[in-house]
């Protein structure tokens, strides 16, 4: 399978204003963050090198499917549902670019050696949406390609996270990475919101985030990175497709810290020695 062959906006105040400063060069745009109650949230083209730990996971047609984060030279984390129906042997991982299709000596392409989805992915429904990807060879780091550390403890309510990814702005070329800020919504509020609307349960492995009320902002990508300060806090997972001011759900990285750590530490290069791959894929 995975083998190599709204509650209303008044419930939370949107405190962030994100604007793009126009300069002669798009690459010189800067994200400006201002605390301003009731201001709207807007996404902008990500400033250059905003997210050097982000990769584009692409299918056989070189089409961007989802994002992932580089955790080490050999490991990438993404959502499990990104890889669910993937023919992994035909997939590729592109590092070192925020503009899909761009060329630069520092951009590289890697094949997937194998994928380890969480053994309880989608049990219960939409839960444990996380997978680790082992690249076929070690990723080369440079000024545009870096690793990111995982956040080991849950973020308190109202924490600010930066969300970066592709394919979410209607009518705009999807080749540019975009960035936006969200705040973590209190768990109880998220629970009460989702309990009445979705069948799948919301659990501690989920992280609930606010979404701007902006009909052109549609989360069509999974695995978008949610970064708190310098650490990976989450991966975008599911929610209403286009922003109605409703919250969306991410995979909470801290909840899966041990899963990530044990796979990365315990199984580096053990596939061949211990038949690790077969055992895990048959779960
Ligand atoms: C995956 O892609 C490879 C290469 O195109 C192909 O040979 C193989 O049959 C595909 N596997 C599945 C399960 O579709």
């Amino acid at each position: 399978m995975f083998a190599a062959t709204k509650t209303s906006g008044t419930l939370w105040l949107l405190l962030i204003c994100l604007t793009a400063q126009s300069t002669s060069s798009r690459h010189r745009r800067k994200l400006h963050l201002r605390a301003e109650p009731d201001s709207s949230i807007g996404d902008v083209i990500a400033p250059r090198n905003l997210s050097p730990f982000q990769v584009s996971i692409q299918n056989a047609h070189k089409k961007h499917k989802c994002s992932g984060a580089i955790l080490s030279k050999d490991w990438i984390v993404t959502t499990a549902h990104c890889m669910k129906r993937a023919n992994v042997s035909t997939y590729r991982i592109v590092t070192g670019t925020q503009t899909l299709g761009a060329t630069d000596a520092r951009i590289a392409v890697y094949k997937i050696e194998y994928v380890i989805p969480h053994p309880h992915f989608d049990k219960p429904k939409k839960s444990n949406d996380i997978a680790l990807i082992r690249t076929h060879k070690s990723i080369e780091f440079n000024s545009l390609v870096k690793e990111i550390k995982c956040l080991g403890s849950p973020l308190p309510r109202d924490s600010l996270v930066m969300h970066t990814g592709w394919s979410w702005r209607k009518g705009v070329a999807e080749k540019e990475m975009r960035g936006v800020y969200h705040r973590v919504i209190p768990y109880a509020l998220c629970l009460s919101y989702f309990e009445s609307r979705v069948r799948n349960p919301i659990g501690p492995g989920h992280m609930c985030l606010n979404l701007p009320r902006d009909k052109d902002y549609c989360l069509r990508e999974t695995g978008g990175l949610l970064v708190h300060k310098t650490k990976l806090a989450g991966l975008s997972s599911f929610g209403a497709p286009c922003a109605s001011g409703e919250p969306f759900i991410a995979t909470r990285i801290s909840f899966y810290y041990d899963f990530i750590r044990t796979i990365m530490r315990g199984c580096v290069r053990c596939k061949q020695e211990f038949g690790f791959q077969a055992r895990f894929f048959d779960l």
Side-chain angles (χ1 to χ4, degrees), residues 8-266:
S8 77
T10 55
L11 279 173
W12 54 84
L13 291 176
L14 304 181
L15 301 173
I16 303 311
C17 180
L18 220 164
T19 57
Q21 188 181 55
S22 293
T23 64
S24 55
S25 161
R26 186 178 64 220
H27 292 313
R28 292 212 192 97
R29 282 187 178 184
K30 284 181 186 146
L31 290 176
H32 285 281
L33 211 53
R34 286 187 287 141
E36 194 173 288
D38 296 328
S39 68
S40 63
I41 284 186
D43 61 295
V44 296
I45 290 172
R48 189 173 191 211
N49 216 3
L50 180 72
S51 194
F53 27 76
Q54 191 151 353
V55 301
S56 166
I57 300 171
Q58 305 183 349
N59 68 12
H61 308 293
K62 301 185 179 175
K63 185 177 176 356
H64 172 79
K65 296 299 286 180
C66 33
S67 285
I70 300 171
L71 299 184
S72 73
K73 283 185 176 288
D74 298 300
W75 291 101
I76 282 162
V77 67
T78 185
T79 58
H81 85 259
C82 167
M83 304 310 295
K84 196 174 164 187
R85 286 187 199 86
N87 183 340
V88 170
S89 64
T90 66
Y91 268 47
R92 52 188 234 144
I93 309 254
V94 182
T95 63
T97 187
Q98 296 187 177
T99 305
L100 302 177
T103 50
D104 184 300
R106 292 165 294 184
I107 297 173
V109 177
Y110 297 90
K111 288 191 199 127
I112 295 174
E113 188 172 335
Y114 55 92
V115 177
I116 301 183
H118 193 285
H120 298 298
F121 164 56
D122 224 17
K123 295 176 221 156
K125 202 164 167 50
K126 300 206 175 182
S127 288
N128 306 313
D129 192 8
I130 187 166
L132 284 154
I133 296 174
R134 171 86 186 191
T135 52
H136 79 293
K137 64 174 186 183
S138 291
I139 296 167
E140 277 185 38
F141 290 174
N142 57 48
S143 59
L144 299 180
V145 182
K146 290 174 183 158
E147 62 190 346
I148 186 168
K149 287 198 165 67
C150 291
L151 195 66
S153 51
L155 281 176
R157 59 190 289 176
D158 298 330
S159 299
L160 195 65
V161 294
M162 181 180 75
H163 182 184
T164 48
W166 287 276
S167 56
W168 65 30
R169 172 60 57 185
K170 261 192 203 167
V172 171
E174 294 177 355
K175 62 182 180 37
E176 300 289 352
M177 181 190 287
R178 303 187 76 88
V180 66
Y181 285 84
H182 301 299
R183 278 191 192 273
V184 174
I185 294 172
Y187 187 63
L189 182 63
C190 192
L191 215 54
S192 64
Y193 180 81
F194 275 95
E195 256 170 4
S196 58
R197 288 169 181 81
V198 293
R199 290 203 186 90
N200 52 286
I202 301 299
H206 292 122
M207 183 165 67
C208 203
L209 295 142
N210 66 344
L211 207 56
R213 202 187 304 251
D214 176 346
K215 66 178 171 46
D216 290 337
Y217 180 104
C218 300
L219 283 170
R220 279 168 293 175
E221 182 194 57
T222 175
L225 309 194
L226 298 158
V227 173
H228 177 68
K229 295 183 179 159
T230 59
K231 291 186 173 170
L232 185 67
L235 300 166
S236 62
S237 180
F238 68 92
C242 293
S244 54
E246 299 173 6
F248 78 99
I249 301 289
T251 299
R252 186 193 296 277
I253 288 293
S254 63
F255 189 74
Y256 298 100
Y257 195 79
D258 284 348
F259 167 74
I260 294 169
R261 193 176 52 170
T262 50
I263 289 192
M264 286 177 58
R265 291 278 165 89

